[in-house]
């Protein structure tokens, strides 16, 4: 089954909450945790990964908290997915040479490559702002 992990789901929820407040205020872990019903410890791990990917900034001190590093319309879903889950790979065999003994006469490899590319392209064209607004550009869907 193809699923979005809890890690990715919660990370997206945190990013949406930050995006809704961008650029007006920094949000604390406690604020995000409470609003999105995410454990503070798990959220801290997610924010650390998002910070390493340069998608969020953290500020210390009494006026500290987290904010996005750039506007929501400049952050793609692909960036968020890869920050939290690593490279987008829907099936291992198309990324590792000689993993499958049927590689020479594989009938499905090209279709997996095609599907993965479409997923990556779609995630690269959708932004955090699209999630916040609940919109999808019609021309993106029509080109699938």
């Amino acid at each position: 089954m193809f699923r979005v992990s809890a890690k990715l789901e919660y990370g997206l929820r945190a990013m949406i909450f930050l995006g809704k407040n961008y650029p007006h205020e920094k949000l604390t872990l406690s604020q995000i945790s409470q609003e999105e019903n995410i454990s503070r410890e798990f959220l801290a791990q997610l924010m650390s990964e998002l910070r390493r990917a340069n998608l969020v900034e953290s500020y210390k001190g009494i006026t500290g908290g987290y904010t996005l590093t750039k506007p929501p319309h400049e952050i793609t879903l692909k960036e968020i997915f890869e920050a939290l889950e690593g490279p987008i790979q829907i099936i291992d065999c198309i990324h590792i040479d000689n993993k499958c003994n049927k590689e020479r006469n594989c009938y499905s490899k090209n279709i997996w490559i095609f599907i993965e590319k479409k997923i990556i392209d779609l995630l690269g064209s959708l932004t955090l702002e699209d999630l916040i607004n609940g919109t999808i550009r019609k021309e993106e869907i029509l080109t699938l």
Side-chain angles (χ1 to χ4, degrees), residues 8-140:
L8 182 56
E9 178 190 349
Y10 292 154
L12 286 169
R13 287 173 33 199
M15 290 293 286
I16 290 168
F17 190 58
L18 287 170
K20 287 180 179 179
N21 291 282
Y22 180 86
H24 307 296
E25 63 180 297
K26 297 175 203 125
L27 300 169
T28 65
L29 277 179
S30 295
Q31 288 173 306
I32 302 167
S33 172
Q34 184 175 4
E35 179 67 27
E36 293 300 324
N37 197 27
I38 304 169
S39 88
R40 196 174 188 288
E41 295 76 25
F42 188 48
L43 181 61
Q45 292 173 12
L46 296 175
M47 297 309 281
S48 178
E49 291 180 36
L50 292 166
R51 189 172 45 77
R52 275 194 300 275
N54 200 33
L55 296 176
V56 299
E57 299 180 87
S58 63
Y59 298 88
K60 295 184 183 211
I62 192 102
T63 60
Y66 289 87
T67 188
L68 300 177
T69 57
K70 51 191 172 182
H73 71 271
E74 293 181 15
I75 298 174
T76 67
L77 296 189
K78 179 179 180 284
E79 290 176 292
I80 300 169
F81 274 55
E82 289 180 337
L84 296 170
E85 299 287 352
I88 298 165
Q89 297 180 346
I90 63 169
I91 190 166
D92 289 336
C93 70
I94 63 176
H95 297 282
I96 301 171
D97 292 333
N98 301 320
K99 182 170 179 142
C100 177
N101 61 2
K102 297 190 179 272
E103 184 173 7
R104 287 190 196 136
N105 48 348
C106 177
Y107 297 104
S108 61
K109 183 174 183 174
N110 287 336
I111 195 70
W112 289 122
I113 292 169
F114 173 80
I115 291 169
E116 182 176 281
K117 182 179 180 335
K118 288 295 186 181
I119 290 170
I120 291 169
D121 290 347
L122 180 61
L123 293 174
S125 70
L126 295 172
T127 67
L128 181 58
E129 184 173 79
D130 294 326
L131 275 182
I132 292 167
N133 295 331
T135 59
I136 295 177
R137 293 180 295 277
K138 187 165 60 172
E139 65 274 9
E140 294 297 332

